[in-house]
Amino acid sequence: MLSFAYEALPARVIFRAGALEDLPHELARLGSRALVLATPEQRPLAEQAAGLLGSRAAGVFAEARAHVPIETARAASAEVRRLSADCCVAVGGGSTTGLAKALALELELPILAVPTTYAGSEMTPIWGITEDGLKRTGRNPRVLPRTVLYDPLLTLSLAPALSGTSGINALAHCVEGLYSEAANPLTSLMAEEGIRALSGSLPRIVRAPQSLEARSEALYGAWLGGAVLGAVGMALHHKLCHVLGGTFDLPHAETHAIILPHAVAYNAAAAPQALRRIASALGVEDPAQGLLELARAVGAPTALKDIGMSRSALERAVELATASPYFNPAPIRADGLRRLLENALEGRRPGT
Ligand code: NAD
């Protein structure tokens, strides 16, 4: 019998090739002087956005860094005050959106996000700030971007390898959303459609990175993944990736690509209905194996030992991942996690 709670998150979404041109018109709904944020690598794009905004651009701050160091957030907030900005535009991936969220948290600045990766942060009220090597995270509706412009043209420059791993990150939001504690009919529909869109488009992007059709499909899947992540909690996969990334400094997107098939195999017996939906969206019989093959098809790494994890770190990872309780369909047990991590370390078939 159906039983669920669902809360819609308010956001205006514009999706089309060329949506960046809508920036001046869309910004007018949010404020009159925007600070445009980007990473140093994406400064030219931020300047293009500021050029489109003309006098409504207060300035460009192209210092966004991975995991939002508090020093960067403080420097950006000083820029907002100095330039009397009343809103911000985040042009880039999860790191840039993350910086905008830190500003929104402190200064209640409305955000217009222009995502250029598949991370999906633009659809969530989740923020993260790193201080003294520790990343604090939280949920606050204030940090949810008010408007999101999805322009697939801006993703054409995302390198094929990064597209593949960033896309699998988005797929992981959909997969865990299907067996989340808070799963509901609407987010499950979005999750299934997201898996279909991403698994179909990512291998095509790796073969033909300039295919606007495949780019558009992947960005659509990333939007769905972000919306699922924003609406329901995640489980084992995200917990493990957080532990591995935070404690052993493993690269975020690659870690997601490696762990996902193993987390799915771990939950196979406890969440059979969700796994059937994942398999059907992937168009395969065995979802864990299907996800491993997808990782191979996009050229993502499939063994933790290949991205810098050593066998000696395994026990510590098991300890950290079992230290505090969190929801997962299958009970979290040290022996099961040890087997999962050993398989992931060596790149073995999931669930063996
Ligand atoms: P990123 O934002 O760190 O970008 C990676 C690199 O790619 C950067 O150098 C960036 O400038 C470059 N880049 C981005 N788009 C490009 C493009 N189209 N063409 C060329 N280069 C481009 O990476 P990410 O994977 O988007 O974000 C990862 C971060 O986002 C992590 O810190 C993660 O924790 C966070 N995240 C947060 C949420 C949330 O809900 N809060 C959700 C997902 C991810």
Side-chain angles (χ1 to χ4, degrees):
M1 228 179 347
L2 281 177
S3 164
F4 62 89
Y6 172 73
E7 194 180 331
L9 294 172
R12 177 174 162 81
V13 172
I14 311 288
F15 191 112
R16 72 173 179 96
L20 184 65
E21 291 159 17
D22 299 343
L23 186 58
H25 170 72
E26 289 297 329
L27 190 88
R29 306 165 68 101
L30 300 187
S32 53
R33 279 177 67 75
L35 183 63
V36 183
L37 308 172
T39 58
E41 298 83 6
Q42 288 183 293
R43 175 180 279 280
L45 184 58
E47 276 168 1
Q48 187 189 339
L52 285 169
L53 288 173
S55 60
R56 287 218 206 98
V60 169
F61 183 85
E63 303 293 332
R65 300 254 180 282
H67 304 301
V68 194
I70 187 126
E71 299 75 15
T72 311
R74 286 190 183 128
S77 125
E79 258 327 71
V80 167
R81 291 200 179 89
R82 188 179 72 80
L83 297 166
S84 310
D86 60 6
C87 58
C88 66
V89 173
V91 193
S95 298
T96 303
T97 311
L99 177 60
K101 286 177 167 182
L103 291 179
L105 191 66
E106 187 198 342
L107 307 169
E108 291 198 46
L109 227 51
I111 303 171
L112 188 155
V114 186
T116 62
T117 70
Y118 307 130
S121 173
E122 67 283 352
M123 292 307 297
T124 85
I126 306 166
W127 57 267
I129 297 177
T130 304
E131 188 169 10
D132 297 329
L134 269 186
K135 189 165 180 177
R136 280 184 295 126
T137 59
R139 285 179 89 94
N140 190 323
R142 190 194 280 183
V143 309
L144 181 74
R146 305 271 183 89
T147 303
V148 182
L149 300 185
Y150 283 106
D151 185 345
L153 286 172
L154 304 180
T155 62
L156 290 175
S157 54
L158 194 62
L162 188 53
S163 303
T165 50
S166 176
I168 291 184
N169 191 184
L171 201 106
H173 301 148
C174 299
V175 165
E176 291 234 296
L178 275 167
Y179 56 62
S180 162
E181 191 176 21
N184 61 72
L186 197 53
T187 53
S188 294
L189 279 176
M190 292 196 282
E192 220 174 320
E193 172 71 352
I195 295 172
R196 190 202 56 73
L198 287 158
S199 61
S201 57
L202 296 176
R204 276 157 55 214
I205 287 175
V206 172
R207 285 196 301 272
Q210 297 304 306
S211 162
L212 190 55
E213 211 178 298
R215 291 289 189 178
S216 185
E217 191 74 359
L219 196 58
Y220 164 63
W223 166 53
L224 294 170
V228 171
L229 173 69
V232 300
M234 298 282 112
L236 173 66
H237 170 77
H238 281 77
K239 174 72 178 183
L240 272 182
C241 291
H242 190 76
V243 163
L244 295 171
T247 313
F248 306 108
D249 205 24
L250 300 187
H252 178 257
E254 285 84 348
T255 308
H256 273 270
I258 296 169
I259 294 292
L260 187 60
H262 299 280
V264 165
Y266 189 96
N267 283 324
Q273 209 189 350
L275 261 79
R276 269 197 297 279
R277 294 183 78 164
I278 298 167
S280 143
L282 287 169
V284 300
E285 290 281 318
D286 176 347
Q289 190 60 25
L291 288 165
L292 181 65
E293 274 154 26
L294 180 67
R296 288 198 182 117
V298 303
T302 53
L304 290 174
K305 67 179 182 191
D306 295 341
I307 60 163
M309 174 130 175
S310 67
R311 175 159 288 275
S312 59
L314 207 138
E315 235 7 82
R316 178 85 182 118
V318 172
E319 216 176 278
L320 288 170
T322 47
S324 49
Y326 52 95
F327 170 81
N328 189 60
I332 300 296
R333 296 218 175 90
D335 54 346
L337 278 196
R338 192 172 296 114
R339 213 165 31 247
L340 182 165
L341 284 168
E342 269 179 11
N343 287 341
L345 184 74
E346 297 298 336
R348 289 192 206 119
R349 193 185 164 86
T352 46

